């Protein structure tokens, strides 16, 4: 299947940091369909060779395991082309169309890796020039909007030029292997599904912790904050995957219909519940990853009096028969104690204990990163005495090790899916809008509330109020258990 992949924003960070390394990995693994062309477009004039040299140099900054040798790069570079485009000029789109049509590949994927404020312009120009035929797909990177109204506006423009199934919204968390495994765990095995409900589960915790600060993205981040950057998309997508009903088929709309139902069942926030159930924080200086870290408001391009949150913890519920009353805790932040993304399913205690001592209930930990695996925490008898207390033990499945050869990174997976037209792991516009609808009352309450985010020291697990939020229900975050 021949393909043309056009990367708008061809010299930008996303392209050289994530997309080119992912494409190279796909190429190295022999997964990129033959007959492909990758065309980067950007504003300045350069030749194909100059662009290839630029990408080659940038590969020096990616993970060494993902760096090509000279020979590998030379082969990969044959697929890579460059074209200058002024995104405001209709004739430049006409030129692009000619380039695409001259070969008439089986499929054309137009990846918008530019700043999102350019999406409406690019998408409508593509429509005007007719680069929106049935073989064309357009891929949109987050952030898709700043709130519900702006997300709806982007969707309106996209819909005017492309059908829903031609528009692929990326949430790279859905491309992480652990998230695929969550589907496999729930719907490929009989073991957990009968327990996957309020009768057996006490609470579910979703943590996406980062030890990095905002780095060089201070200006973007300060306009965005953790709720928009991580909760509205990544954390909520994980929640839908954990909580959805079994889809009837492994196909995009069957899955996305179920995810949408979860988003629609989330308990809506009110001003009162935001004050009670949402904690926002901002990091101060501290020690992180073995080095001194500056406070958020001392980061480059961050205004000194900023009240943008770098941490959010919240409690919500899903109002349906399966989950009524089960707290879902979501937590994310920058400059936390470690880089750690995981979903912890805490089961209820046994109804009656015949063993001495106090026992921890079972728990299942779905580890997204840095490791990719599963831990099932159980209790066992050591066999050393007659009335001994039970001892905690756990089964530890390391998927990186088990499937080392075949594991693919999130962007590699999503790019290959975009080329093949597999939509399961892309977010549909109604899901995305519903997620915005749910976070909007939180944004509004924060706007009306004059109090700044709670401070926390870099290198910790966030403000103490986040622990109190969970403790109030008689539970504790995984690292405190
Ligand atoms: C991005 C956010 O979507 O996800 C970043 O904009 C964040 O702020 C990143 O650092 C985290 O992704 P990952 O895959 O490194 O956990």
């Amino acid at each position: 299947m021949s393909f043309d992949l056009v990367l708008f924003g061809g010299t930008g960070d996303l392209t050289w940091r994530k997309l080119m390394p992912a494409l190279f990995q796909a190429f190295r693994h022999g997964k990129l369909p033959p007959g492909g062309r990758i065309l980067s477009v950007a504003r300045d004039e350069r030749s194909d060779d100059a662009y290839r040299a630029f990408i080659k140099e940038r590969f020096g900054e990616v993970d060494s395991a993902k760096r090509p040798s000279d020979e590998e790069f030379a082969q990969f570079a044959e697929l890579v082309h460059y074209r200058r485009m002024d995104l405001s000029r209709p004739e430049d789109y006409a030129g692009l169309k000619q380039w695409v049509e001259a070969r008439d590949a089986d499929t054309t994927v137009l990846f918008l890796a530019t700043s999102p404020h350019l999406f409406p312009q690019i998408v409508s120009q593509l429509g005007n020039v007719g680069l929106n035929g049935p073989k064309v797909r357009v891929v949109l990177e987050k952030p898709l909007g700043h709130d519900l109204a702006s997300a709806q506006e982007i969707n309106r423009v996209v819909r005017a030029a492309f059908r829903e199934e031609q528009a692929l919204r990326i949430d790279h968390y859905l491309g992480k292997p652990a998230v695929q495994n969550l589907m496999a765990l729930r719907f490929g095995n009989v073991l957990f599904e009968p327990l996957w409900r309020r009768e057996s589960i006490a609470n579910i915790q979703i943590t996406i912790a980062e030890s990095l600060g905002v780095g060089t993205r201070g200006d973007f981040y300060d306009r965005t904050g953790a709720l928009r950057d991580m909760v509205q998309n990544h954390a909520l997508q994980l929640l839908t995957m954990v909580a959805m009903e079994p889809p009837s088929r492994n196909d995009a709309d069957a899955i996305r219909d179920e995810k949408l139902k979860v988003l629609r069942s989330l308990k809506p926030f009110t001003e009162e519940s935001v004050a009670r159930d949402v904690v926002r924080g901002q990091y101060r200086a501290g020690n992180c990853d073995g080095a001194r870290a500056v406070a958020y408001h001392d980061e480059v391009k961050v205004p000194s009096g900023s009240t943008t949150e770098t941490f959010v913890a919240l409690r919500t519920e899903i109002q349906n028969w399966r989950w009524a009353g089960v707290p879902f805790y979501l937590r994310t932040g920058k400059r936390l104690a470690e880089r750690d993304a995981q979903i912890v399913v805490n089961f209820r205690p046994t109804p009656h204990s015949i063993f001495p001592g106090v026992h921890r209930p079972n728990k299942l930990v779905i580890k997204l990163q840095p490791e990719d695996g599963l831990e099932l925490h159980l209790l066992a008898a050591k066999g050393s005495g007659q009335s001994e207390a039970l001892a905690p033990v756990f089964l530890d499945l390391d998927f990186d090790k088990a499937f080392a050869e075949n594991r693919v990174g999130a962007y590699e997976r999503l790019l290959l899916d975009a080329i093949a037209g597999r939509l399961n792991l892309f977010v549909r516009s109604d899901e995305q809008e519903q997620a915005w609808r749910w976070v909007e009352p939180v944004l509004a309450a924060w706007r009306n509330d004059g109090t700044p985010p709670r401070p926390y020291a870099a290198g910790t697990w966030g403000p103490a109020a986040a622990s109190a939020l969970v403790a109030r229900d008689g539970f504790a975050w995984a690292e405190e258990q």
Side-chain angles (χ1 to χ4, degrees), residues 50-166:
Y51 180 74
R52 290 168 184 152
F54 159 80
I55 290 296
K56 187 171 185 193
E57 191 196 316
R58 291 299 159 113
F59 264 114
E61 293 183 42
V62 308
D63 208 357
S64 56
K66 295 188 177 160
R67 247 176 252 162
S69 65
D70 285 349
E71 196 182 319
E72 282 175 318
F73 186 80
Q75 288 169 2
F76 173 66
E78 284 176 20
L79 310 182
V80 178
H81 306 267
Y82 179 82
R83 188 176 180 91
R84 195 197 80 84
M85 263 183 85
D86 176 340
L87 296 177
S88 64
R89 282 168 39 119
E91 48 282 32
D92 286 9
Y93 291 84
L96 175 65
K97 188 178 182 222
Q98 268 176 12
W99 185 86
V100 168
E101 288 183 347
R103 188 172 74 126
D104 195 26
D106 295 330
T107 178
T108 302
V109 177
L110 307 169
F111 196 120
L112 273 48
T114 60
S115 160
H117 78 271
L118 296 168
F119 289 179
Q121 183 183 41
I122 302 175
V123 168
S124 39
Q125 297 261 25
L126 290 169
N128 292 345
V129 82
L131 248 179
N132 58 350
K135 290 185 189 173
V136 179
R137 281 178 215 110
V138 62
V139 183
L140 305 160
E141 250 296 336
K142 79 181 261 285
L144 282 168
H146 199 63
D147 53 15
L148 178 61
S150 51
Q152 284 173 325
E153 176 54 19
I154 295 176
N155 286 334
R156 192 189 60 73
V157 176
V158 171
R159 254 182 238 125
F162 293 94
R163 293 195 316 274
E164 178 71 40
E165 60 276 19
Q166 290 178 284

Side-chain angles (χ1 to χ4, degrees), residues 92-411:
D92 286 9
Y93 291 84
L96 175 65
K97 188 178 182 222
Q98 268 176 12
W99 185 86
V100 168
E101 288 183 347
R103 188 172 74 126
D104 195 26
D106 295 330
T107 178
T108 302
V109 177
L110 307 169
F111 196 120
L112 273 48
T114 60
S115 160
H117 78 271
L118 296 168
F119 289 179
Q121 183 183 41
I122 302 175
V123 168
S124 39
Q125 297 261 25
L126 290 169
N128 292 345
V129 82
L131 248 179
N132 58 350
K135 290 185 189 173
V136 179
R137 281 178 215 110
V138 62
V139 183
L140 305 160
E141 250 296 336
K142 79 181 261 285
L144 282 168
H146 199 63
D147 53 15
L148 178 61
S150 51
Q152 284 173 325
E153 176 54 19
I154 295 176
N155 286 334
R156 192 189 60 73
V157 176
V158 171
R159 254 182 238 125
F162 293 94
R163 293 195 316 274
E164 178 71 40
E165 60 276 19
Q166 290 178 284
L168 279 49
R169 292 170 196 78
I170 285 215
D171 185 309
H172 78 279
Y173 266 66
L174 292 181
K176 294 198 188 261
V179 179
Q180 306 316 300
N181 244 313
L182 182 55
M183 288 281 283
L185 175 82
R186 289 196 57 199
F187 307 129
N189 295 284
V190 76
L191 217 53
F192 289 105
E193 204 45 31
L195 302 176
W196 212 258
R197 55 190 62 251
R198 62 193 301 278
E199 289 79 2
S200 315
I201 292 179
N203 68 83
I204 294 187
Q205 306 180 355
I206 298 177
T207 295
I208 311 178
E210 296 183 272
S211 55
L212 292 177
V214 293
T216 53
R217 297 160 78 222
D219 49 352
F220 160 77
Y221 195 86
D222 202 62
R223 281 180 275 120
T224 308
L227 189 75
R228 291 186 172 97
D229 190 40
M230 301 294 285
V231 176
Q232 184 273 341
N233 34 66
H234 306 323
L236 278 185
Q237 284 294 325
L238 295 181
L239 180 141
T240 61
M241 300 293 276
V242 176
M244 70 177 170
E245 295 300 314
S248 56
R249 292 178 310 279
N250 193 9
D251 91 18
D253 278 332
I255 294 170
R256 298 188 294 185
D257 287 346
E258 296 305 337
K259 286 164 63 195
L260 179 62
K261 278 193 223 159
V262 173
L263 292 167
R264 286 188 174 146
S265 312
L266 282 172
K267 190 172 181 174
F269 279 112
T270 60
E271 205 158 315
E272 200 190 355
S273 66
V274 171
R276 190 186 57 227
D277 294 339
V278 187
V279 175
R280 59 176 166 153
Q282 190 190 75
Y283 60 83
R284 296 287 178 267
N287 290 317
C288 210
D289 284 340
R292 194 73 195 148
V294 299
Y296 173 69
H297 53 235
D298 290 330
E299 296 276 16
V300 184
K301 299 191 207 150
V302 172
S304 59
S306 167
T307 56
T308 298
E309 81 287 356
T310 60
F311 175 94
V312 178
L314 63 84
R315 176 195 191 283
T316 187
E317 290 179 21
I318 297 172
Q319 298 179 308
N320 64 18
W321 274 47
R322 185 188 285 265
W323 295 116
V326 177
F328 281 76
Y329 304 107
L330 270 49
R331 174 176 63 161
T332 184
K334 301 238 179 244
R335 285 286 186 230
L336 294 183
E338 52 194 67
R339 176 167 185 256
D340 179 26
Q342 58 174 26
I343 301 169
V344 180
V345 179
N346 287 303
F347 289 92
R348 290 186 186 277
T350 50
H352 168 69
S353 180
I354 58 169
F355 298 98
V358 181
H359 299 121
R360 273 194 213 149
N362 300 138
K363 81 175 170 183
L364 175 70
V365 183
I366 299 155
K367 300 192 285 186
L368 275 76
Q369 60 195 31
E371 302 99 33
D372 167 15
L374 271 185
E375 275 174 17
L376 181 59
H377 293 245
L378 304 166
L379 291 169
K382 283 195 220 154
S384 57
Q386 281 208 321
S387 64
E388 65 185 339
L390 299 182
V393 290
F394 66 98
L395 294 169
D396 189 0
L397 301 179
D398 180 340
F399 295 135
D400 281 328
K401 227 183 247 164
F403 304 123
E405 297 290 290
N406 303 309
R407 298 257 100 175
V408 298
Y411 273 101

